[in-house]
Structure formats: C-alpha cells, structure tokens
Amino acid sequence: RLPGTRQIYLNDYPSNLFLDGACGKLSGSPIPGLGIDATEGREIDNQGIALRGKIIQATDSFHQYRWNFIGPLNPSFRPHGYCASNTWFTTYEKSMAIQGNKLGTAHPNAAGHAAYGNLIRQALVAQLG
C-alpha cells in the first residue's frame, strides 16, 4: 500500500547476547526475576532463531511486495555479547546510570548501533548493486 516504495528491508535482532549467561546484577542476582543463567541465555537465543525464521518466511512470502531479509546478525554480534569486554549491548548497570531505569538493558549501545548500521548498509549495497 506504499506505491512509491522501491524495497522493504526487514532484519533480525541479535539473540545470542546471553549464551553464557549474564554478568553483573543480572547474574544470579539477589533481585528476584533478574538473573539470567546459561540455560536461559540459550533459550533466549533459541527464541530469537525461531523469530528470525518467521521473519525470513515473511520476506519469502511477500517477496512480490519487495520485502527483503537482512541478516543474520548473530555471527557479527557473538564476540560482543552482553558480558564481553567489548560488548555491543547496554548492561543493566549502564542503563540504570544513564537512563535511571532498566529499560535500556540488552539494547545495542553506541558500538552496537554502529555495527548494526554497518551490517545493514553492507546488505543494502550488496542487494541494490
């Protein structure tokens, strides 16, 4: 329903940020409901992989409407997980310090957004030729 739109691009979200569990306040946290162990981290990744499958299925189903999939993002983000020294994610502690609440937790930080943008740009350049 957007006649002037040349292409629509959908991407996944890196879901492998907690594969080894969380660290800091999110690891075995004394705060009920906040801790994320390796088992929960793997389940988060499994759900992300399932969601990625649905996104790919949607882009395949609606390809005639110029829907394109960009990704997967997991391989690039894996070395920069939540607990990595060079993380691409906002930690609980950073979110609390910067925003004053937990709502920024696990979202990309500045480095993550830059990487995200570069990956999307590379995919667009490759697809648009």
Side-chain angles (χ1 to χ4, degrees), residues 45-78:
D45 189 43
N46 289 338
Q47 294 300 316
I49 290 168
L51 176 59
R52 179 179 311 116
K54 296 291 186 185
I55 294 169
I56 292 169
Q57 184 180 23
T59 57
D60 288 347
S61 296
F62 293 100
H63 190 71
Q64 72 269 24
Y65 299 111
R66 303 172 307 277
W67 283 27
N68 303 278
F69 175 70
I70 296 176
L73 299 182
N74 268 351
S76 296
F77 277 76
R78 175 63 179 125

Side-chain angles (χ1 to χ4, degrees), residues 79-118:
H80 307 282
Y82 185 86
C83 297
S85 61
N86 58 349
T87 185
W88 285 353
F89 298 96
T90 303
T91 63
Y92 175 86
E93 293 83 358
K94 250 328 182 194
S95 181
M96 292 301 289
I98 293 171
Q99 292 182 199
N101 61 41
K102 63 184 179 185
L103 301 179
T105 304
H107 289 276
N109 60 19
H113 279 292
Y116 218 121
N118 285 334

